[in-house]
Amino acid sequence: MLGFTRGDVPDYQMAAWCMAVYFRGLNSRETHALTDAMIRSGDTIALGAALGRRVVDKHSTGGVGDKTSIAVGPIVAACGVPFGKMSGRGLAHSGGTLDKLESIPGFRVELSIDDFVSQVRDVGLAIVGQTADLVPADKKLYALRDVTATVEINPLIASSIMSKKIATGADAVVLDVKVGDGAHGKRTLDEARVLAEQMIDLGRRAGLEVVCLLTDMDQPLGAAVGNALEIREAVDTIAGDGPPDFTELVLDACARLLALSDLGIDIAEGRTRAEAAVADGSATAAYERWIAAQGGDPDVSVLPDAPIVREVVAPRDGVVVRLQALAIGIAALELGAGRRTKEDDIDHAVGVVCRMKQGDAVRSGVVLAEVHARDDASASAGADAVLAAYEIGDEAPQMRGILLDVVE
Ligand code: URA
């Protein structure tokens, strides 16, 4: 791992190793050793000790429309709990928090360790990327996995996530383990429990308290899928005007993070305080302070807009029986919201907004979704792909809610 980080082990050998892990797996001792090597590829931060506070963090295994951290961070910070987080970029069909944040003009995801620590101390919140100093092995391996079909491997997901959490020195973490169609590998609930246990085990070895939320990813989270579109939705949600499923996940994660913090409160009180921070505008104020501290403009009117917005309409009356998360994620990627090769540039403006979700009754001709595209050809291809992701039937589906289980 250190040889790969230095450039002594070329990408093609590392890609072959990832594929070997895909087929053979890693046992828990090997996963632990890999996580340790990834942490030791750079410096580490004792964030809690530097602040004299208990620091909390959150991370997701990756889903479609998952902008949760961008809404959770400001709410938790507004409640007086320091939130310092290292995120990742898009992986395969799932978007990445860093790519989303970079749709904000001026926003810098690379901070020095000193700047990261002082921002969490002074502003209460910082979200950064892996750098040459902090978990550089994950930065390189993550980018390689993204384009070599080696994302959906539990030990690689667990070590990637936990190396970042341990290296940045959080004391407690809430992990969002996605379940269903849009989760990497279309993970089932039982498979999600296995991944959760692996991450809890890695956390325990490092003295890090870990709570795993197992959440639904059969359909996209919220409405927006695509970088700038998701920033807008996160900002609306922080202000109390978000889609119901996304709002519920954000508030639940905040409640648990506050209960894990040094405030000495339980989950119910955490929920009350998170809701109050949304209602009284302090979460929005925390968002604006945070974005400005990292060089960005918090005004959503400066976010890039796609030149073409194509509506996708319902072909018949009925109810949305399925809205396939994976297909919507791939449609957004094909529009340019994600990368096909490591060198690809992201188009921050494009994506999909799912106006109708599973369980919604629709009339023929009503708008199911909007495709935000760069040109006519990609808008047409995107609209076809999005329509194919919707299944309209006659009977309302069984709804399972966003939170499926908690493992701790
Ligand atoms: N998030 C990460 O940081 N790494 C993964 O491998 C998947 C999601």
Side-chain angles (χ1 to χ4, degrees):
M1 193 49 65
L2 297 181
F4 172 61
T5 310
R6 280 195 305 267
D8 299 345
V9 175
D11 276 5
Y12 53 82
Q13 284 181 344
M14 204 61 194
W17 178 82
C18 288
M19 201 44 89
V21 176
Y22 184 96
F23 288 110
R24 300 296 300 266
L26 292 180
N27 63 29
S28 98
R29 197 173 45 80
E30 290 163 338
T31 308
H32 182 235
L34 172 63
T35 310
D36 217 36
M38 304 217 343
I39 296 167
R40 283 190 291 104
S41 70
D43 295 333
T44 56
I45 312 175
L47 190 54
L51 303 181
R53 290 286 308 270
R54 199 170 147 78
V55 176
V56 297
D57 192 353
K58 105 131 230 341
H59 208 92
S60 154
T61 58
V64 179
D66 187 3
K67 65 289 280 174
T68 312
S69 299
I70 299 166
V72 162
I75 298 173
V76 168
C79 293
V81 170
F83 188 87
K85 171 171 164 57
M86 192 190 292
S87 285
R89 296 196 175 277
L91 269 182
H93 64 277
S94 69
T97 300
L98 299 179
D99 295 327
K100 293 168 199 185
L101 288 170
E102 281 182 346
S103 55
I104 302 172
F107 192 92
R108 287 178 295 117
V109 299
E110 287 215 4
L111 296 187
S112 69
I113 291 181
D114 286 348
D115 287 348
F116 175 67
V117 174
S118 27
Q119 189 176 310
V120 179
R121 182 188 301 115
D122 301 340
V123 183
L125 166 60
I127 297 187
V128 294
Q130 318 94 318
T131 65
D133 299 328
L134 279 173
V135 214
D138 183 58
K139 184 180 169 112
K140 284 193 77 177
L141 191 59
Y142 196 97
L144 189 66
R145 286 169 55 214
D146 183 29
V147 292
T148 54
T150 53
V151 169
E152 55 195 61
I153 307 171
N154 275 358
L156 298 190
I157 295 174
S159 56
S160 165
I161 291 178
M162 294 309 290
S163 63
K164 290 195 279 288
K165 303 301 98 179
I166 296 165
T168 38
D171 298 286
V173 192
V174 169
L175 298 178
D176 179 0
V177 184
K178 299 294 187 192
V179 180
D181 181 68
H184 292 298
K186 293 182 180 277
R187 195 179 295 119
T188 63
L189 198 50
D190 283 344
E191 287 163 352
R193 288 197 185 97
V194 172
L195 178 56
E197 295 292 354
Q198 283 176 349
M199 293 193 287
I200 289 171
D201 180 51
L202 290 173
R204 199 174 290 131
R205 288 170 190 255
L208 176 58
E209 199 172 342
V210 180
V211 174
C212 292
L213 310 181
L214 276 41
T215 70
D216 179 54
M217 189 30 72
D218 260 347
Q219 61 175 343
L221 181 60
V225 181
N227 300 284
L229 295 167
E230 292 190 45
I231 294 287
R232 283 198 185 86
E233 188 164 277
V235 170
D236 288 346
T237 305
I238 293 165
D241 195 19
D245 59 341
F246 180 52
T247 301
E248 177 53 31
L249 176 55
V250 166
L251 291 174
D252 192 79
C254 289
R256 289 170 200 278
L257 284 162
L258 295 178
L260 287 167
S261 76
D262 54 13
L263 292 182
I265 59 175
D266 62 12
I267 296 174
E269 175 62 16
R271 175 80 180 217
T272 304
R273 293 197 194 183
E275 285 173 358
V278 169
D280 69 12
S282 54
T284 299
Y287 172 82
E288 289 170 356
R289 277 198 305 279
W290 160 45
I291 299 300
Q294 284 184 238
D297 186 339
D299 183 347
V300 287
S301 69
V302 302
L303 290 169
D305 284 316
I308 296 178
V309 179
R310 181 77 50 86
E311 291 181 343
V312 177
V313 299
R316 52 165 284 199
D317 292 357
V319 57
V320 179
V321 176
R322 282 187 74 196
L323 168 54
Q324 296 171 47
L326 177 60
I328 296 290
I330 292 173
L333 185 133
E334 294 292 337
L335 284 162
R339 296 178 187 80
R340 276 182 227 93
T341 74
K342 271 191 347 180
E343 290 70 34
D344 276 357
D345 283 330
I346 294 250
D347 186 339
H348 290 105
V350 301
V352 180
V353 179
C354 301
R355 294 278 172 225
M356 295 293 167
K357 301 270 308 261
Q358 206 183 30
D360 286 341
V362 296
R363 311 282 306 180
S364 172
V366 84
V367 176
L368 293 174
E370 290 163 7
V371 171
H372 293 237
R374 187 55 53 193
D375 53 44
D376 259 323
S378 63
S380 301
D384 289 347
V386 168
L387 183 58
Y390 276 89
E391 188 185 325
I392 313 286
D394 297 316
E395 294 211 2
Q398 280 248 306
M399 303 292 292
R400 62 177 186 175
I402 190 77
L403 183 61
L404 306 177
D405 199 2
V406 180
V407 183
E408 45 196 325

